[in-house]
Amino acid sequence: MSRPSTSARTGPLSGVRVLELAGLAPGPFAGMMLADHGAEVLRIDRVAAAGDTPRRDVMDRGKHTIGLDLKSPEGVTAFKRLAAHADAVIEVYRPGVAERLGIGPGDLHEINPGLVYGRMTGWGQDGPLAPTAGHDLNYIAISGVLSMLGREGEKPTAPLNILGDFAGGGLMLAHGIVLALFERTRTGRGRVVDAAMTEGSALLFAMFYQGPASAGWGARGTNLLDTGAPMYDTYTTKDGRHVAVAALEPKFYAELVGRMGLTGLPDRDDKAAWPALRARLTAAFATRTRAEWEEVFAGSDACVFPVLEMDEAPAHPHNRARGSFVDVDGIVQPVPAPRLLGVPDQDLSPATRLTDLASWGLPADEADRLRASGVLG
């Protein structure tokens, strides 16, 4: 599973420099997405967080880090000098905080008009909730997304923090930064990217906002793709493990029941018959282990696959064949996606402290002085 690493950044974002202000989940994920495709990402930590040990968080892979006291005038000045040599900034504070520190978009565009300033919040930069605290679950709640998730007759189910923080937040911010960088090739000017997790999560569910009737969608947990349909659900096997069944199309469903040896089943197209059909499938899947069902469906189009645990996924034959996971210094992690064919593999090593800041506009003597004063970690 190991891949070679190189010291130089390669890929479509090679040469792009990004300053990432330290934050939780979505900000580092956006920075990781950019670093994965060649950007040189410098993470700005608090001085107290700047130790000698390399950061081993997967989302900090391929980055450099420094500690900088942004509450001191000297720290702000140093940050501005870094920003003068950057292409983009990732900022994850509540609205107004960066401005109060003196590193808001207006402050930085005065010294670097081409800078792309990416802002990540839950609610957005304006609106009545903008200054309010919140987390992923809150953001997908008011976007309407959370109401879609869960089984019939049960309360909505939290999908970890994938939809708000990572998909609706970090991924959308990275997308917005790349869009703004592309626009800059024509205009020469940067732009502020306002990435709100509420809006990002809503966008992921765009097809469902046209209304239940027009989308053919009913109450939560009663539909084709939300565990309502017995041919699109998970089932428990004899050994207490699970398989995922997605035999939606008739030909795939025929393959499913044929391989299972089932006959006399209720009509799959009659929603009233779904409970009875689910009961038959539930009983059938409980007669064999997950591994045995893997053998039954191997090489078929029945759309039945094992539900792998996180530590099992890297060893699956398909994932191994494609090199979908990589071991970096003992930490197994997914490789960058999507793949750009022909681009050399990135260096995915854990983030390291950047000691040579001269190329970022901070001469060695100035850096030494800031370290001695405790402003630079």
Side-chain angles (χ1 to χ4, degrees):
M1 288 185 294
S2 61
R3 285 187 164 198
S5 65
T6 58
S7 58
R9 308 304 294 169
T10 58
L13 297 181
S14 177
V16 172
R17 286 183 157 187
V18 180
L19 289 174
E20 177 194 311
L21 290 161
L24 300 176
F29 185 72
M32 184 196 78
M33 292 293 297
L34 300 175
D36 278 353
H37 293 286
E40 181 183 351
V41 178
L42 177 58
R43 178 182 167 108
I44 309 299
D45 284 314
R46 292 176 293 106
V47 174
D52 295 327
T53 303
R55 300 184 65 95
R56 297 179 64 79
D57 190 311
V58 169
M59 290 188 293
D60 283 332
R61 66 190 186 188
K63 301 176 185 177
H64 288 296
T65 67
I66 62 170
L68 197 60
D69 181 5
L70 293 176
K71 293 184 179 180
S72 72
E74 286 188 311
V76 170
T77 298
F79 184 81
K80 287 182 175 180
R81 295 185 64 170
L82 299 175
H85 291 75
D87 296 287
V89 166
I90 292 175
E91 181 256 290
V92 292
Y93 305 145
R94 289 199 203 188
V97 171
E99 283 80 358
R100 289 195 294 273
L101 290 172
I103 57 171
D107 303 299
L108 301 189
H109 279 153
E110 286 184 2
I111 59 175
N112 184 355
L115 185 72
V116 172
Y117 198 103
R119 316 195 81 167
M120 165 65 61
T121 58
W123 313 110
Q125 293 298 311
D126 54 23
L129 290 177
T132 307
H135 286 294
D136 179 290
L137 195 62
N138 307 127
Y139 309 141
I140 67 173
I142 74 154
S143 69
V145 167
L146 185 58
S147 70
M148 304 283 292
L149 309 176
R151 291 189 176 274
E152 182 182 10
E154 297 182 8
K155 63 182 181 179
T157 300
L160 297 176
N161 61 331
I162 301 300
L163 289 176
D165 280 350
F166 294 106
L171 187 59
M172 293 295 180
L173 177 60
H175 174 59
I177 288 173
V178 171
L179 290 177
L181 288 172
F182 178 73
E183 181 190 45
R184 192 182 67 176
T185 63
R186 299 194 304 268
T187 67
R189 300 193 64 82
R191 184 176 291 279
V192 177
V193 179
D194 179 3
M197 291 179 237
T198 49
E199 295 163 357
S201 63
L203 183 63
L204 295 169
F205 277 63
M207 68 173 286
F208 299 104
Y209 285 92
Q210 56 189 318
S214 58
W217 213 254
R220 178 175 60 250
T222 66
N223 306 284
L224 193 62
L225 303 177
D226 65 354
T227 74
M231 55 279 192
Y232 197 86
D233 204 351
T234 58
Y235 290 91
T236 304
T237 56
K238 184 178 181 180
D239 53 349
R241 310 192 87 174
H242 303 90
V243 292
V245 177
L248 291 176
E249 293 81 356
K251 63 179 181 179
F252 300 153
Y253 180 76
E255 182 84 6
L256 166 72
V257 298
R259 293 228 173 195
M260 296 183 75
L262 298 176
T263 58
L265 293 175
D267 182 4
R268 57 159 263 162
D269 295 323
D270 180 6
K271 290 189 72 170
W274 280 2
L277 177 56
R278 186 185 306 280
R280 288 285 305 274
L281 291 175
T282 297
F285 276 112
T287 63
R288 301 189 189 188
T289 66
R290 192 188 74 177
E292 289 172 334
W293 284 119
E294 283 189 77
E295 292 184 11
V296 169
F297 293 109
S300 78
D301 277 344
C303 301
V304 179
F305 290 90
V307 178
L308 299 179
E309 301 295 331
M310 296 287 282
D311 59 355
E312 294 180 295
H316 187 276
H318 179 80
N319 294 335
R320 290 179 62 185
R322 282 184 55 83
S324 300
F325 293 84
V326 62
D327 186 319
V328 180
D329 293 347
I331 299 177
V332 177
Q333 54 198 269
V335 299
R339 301 185 183 207
L340 283 84
L341 301 185
V343 174
D345 293 330
Q346 293 294 347
D347 181 0
L348 302 181
S349 300
T352 54
R353 301 299 175 190
L354 182 63
T355 56
D356 180 13
L357 287 164
S359 66
W360 282 83
L362 204 61
D365 57 346
E366 178 68 7
D368 290 341
R369 187 184 68 79
L370 292 174
R371 288 191 187 94
S373 66
V375 173
L376 177 65

